[in-house]
Amino acid sequence: MLTAAGVVAMVREPQARPYPHAIFLADSLLLTQLVLLLGQIPGLLWHEMFHVLAARRLGVGSRMTVGRRMYFLVLETHLDGLLGVPSRRRYLPFTAGVLADVLLFSALTVGAAADAADGGLSWPGRVALAFAFPTLFRIAWQFFFFLRTDLYYMVTTVLGCTDLHEAATARLRRQWRWVPGVRPRPADTGPWSPRDAAVARWYAPAMIGGVILLFGWAALAIIPALVEFVTRVAAGLTGDGGTGLAFWDSIGSVTVILAQFALPFLLPARKSARREERTT
């Protein structure tokens, strides 16, 4: 019912439809980034807790960690105990996070539509719409299977595979070994299950298609917002000779952006250091 209400809200009220520029809540880029950053943390926990609860109802333990997908910092819920559960009972724990995001997105769009009904979006409606767009991004993210998302694990369970990603990656390395820098590794010979090897024949090209799809999504969703961000930063850095609030707002905003991109790459180094400490 909530999802249906969200769809109706977007159809009836155009102002409730999320779009890239909706994330700019205020004239201050730094304030906008901090609000979005702090607001996304509860959204990420909401997503992961649905995984935890769906697994707990089956009596399966779980643990939550911080990980990296490409250059994105992500929260991950490990559900290793699901391997001992019949495959048909694994689907809900795998898809629970997407369900959580759909519910959250629907609630935010309904809230934005209710606010717009009074003649225009006020501050609460704008915040709801600004949070709805990143939530929509997280939903779309799940369809990039090559990043081993939640839906990837659901699909591999349906197909009866155990390590489809590695089997397909190894197949691509062998097929593209003529490309400079691409070399098969000893591990690329397996051992894969016969099912993994069979499905990898068509899944490997699909991985390439997923990368292309990711760039297309970036062109539609990320680049427009990035262009506006760069335009505002440039205006702030050059508009008042480096003495006004706009200048320092731009400096602070760029610093926050760089920190977010740096953290995912620092994470593996921290994990390696902790492993060394435990072994000494």
Side-chain angles (χ1 to χ4, degrees):
M1 292 176 62
L2 180 58
T3 303
V7 173
V8 171
M10 288 187 291
V11 171
R12 298 183 59 181
E13 182 53 67
Q15 294 188 73
R17 301 169 189 171
Y19 56 97
H21 299 289
I23 63 176
F24 296 97
L25 291 169
D27 293 334
S28 170
L29 289 175
L30 182 58
L31 176 62
T32 294
Q33 286 177 264
L34 293 177
V35 170
L36 289 175
L37 182 61
L38 295 176
Q40 288 308 302
I41 293 175
L44 293 173
L45 291 174
W46 168 264
H47 175 105
E48 298 302 331
M49 285 306 300
F50 264 57
H51 287 302
V52 172
L53 293 174
R56 182 165 294 182
R57 67 188 292 272
L58 299 178
V60 174
S62 60
R63 58 188 177 90
M64 193 181 302
T65 61
V66 179
R68 176 164 66 93
R69 289 291 183 271
M70 296 178 66
Y71 48 83
F72 295 101
L73 198 66
V74 296
L75 292 178
E76 299 174 324
T77 300
H78 298 269
L79 306 172
D80 300 332
L82 282 180
L83 296 176
V85 175
S87 59
R88 63 181 179 84
R89 304 191 68 187
R90 302 176 197 169
Y91 300 145
L92 181 58
F94 284 147
T95 58
V98 179
L99 172 63
D101 287 336
V102 170
L103 294 176
L104 178 59
F105 174 79
S106 301
L108 290 171
T109 52
V110 169
D115 183 65
D118 296 330
L121 289 177
S122 61
W123 179 254
R126 293 173 60 190
V127 171
L129 199 61
F131 288 164
F133 182 76
T135 305
L136 180 62
F137 183 88
R138 288 202 302 271
I139 296 172
W141 172 276
Q142 297 298 330
F143 291 91
F144 301 134
F145 295 160
F146 70 97
L147 295 174
R148 285 175 285 185
T149 61
D150 301 340
L151 294 185
Y152 160 81
Y153 288 106
M154 186 198 73
V155 169
T156 55
T157 301
V158 172
L159 295 174
C161 298
T162 56
D163 202 359
L164 179 58
H165 178 85
E166 292 300 328
T169 301
R171 183 179 179 86
L172 288 175
R173 287 198 188 100
R174 293 194 300 269
Q175 292 178 338
W176 293 72
R177 59 181 178 273
W178 53 272
V179 177
V182 177
R183 293 290 183 273
R185 300 180 302 191
D188 289 344
T189 57
W192 321 116
S193 70
R195 182 61 177 168
D196 283 326
V199 176
R201 295 176 183 175
W202 61 263
Y203 182 74
M207 290 178 66
I208 299 177
V211 175
I212 297 174
L213 183 64
L214 178 60
F215 281 108
W217 172 250
L220 293 174
I222 299 178
I223 293 180
L226 182 62
V227 169
E228 181 168 347
F229 172 80
V230 172
T231 302
R232 291 194 182 191
V233 167
L237 294 176
T238 60
D240 53 18
T243 58
L245 291 177
F247 175 83
W248 293 109
D249 181 78
S250 296
I251 292 294
S253 181
V254 171
T255 302
V256 171
I257 286 288
L258 294 177
Q260 291 182 64
F261 277 96
L263 280 176
F265 295 97
L266 295 176
L267 183 63
R270 290 179 58 85
K271 288 185 175 180
S272 298
R274 289 175 181 175
R275 284 196 294 267
E276 291 179 2
E277 290 176 0
R278 287 197 294 265
T279 56
T280 57

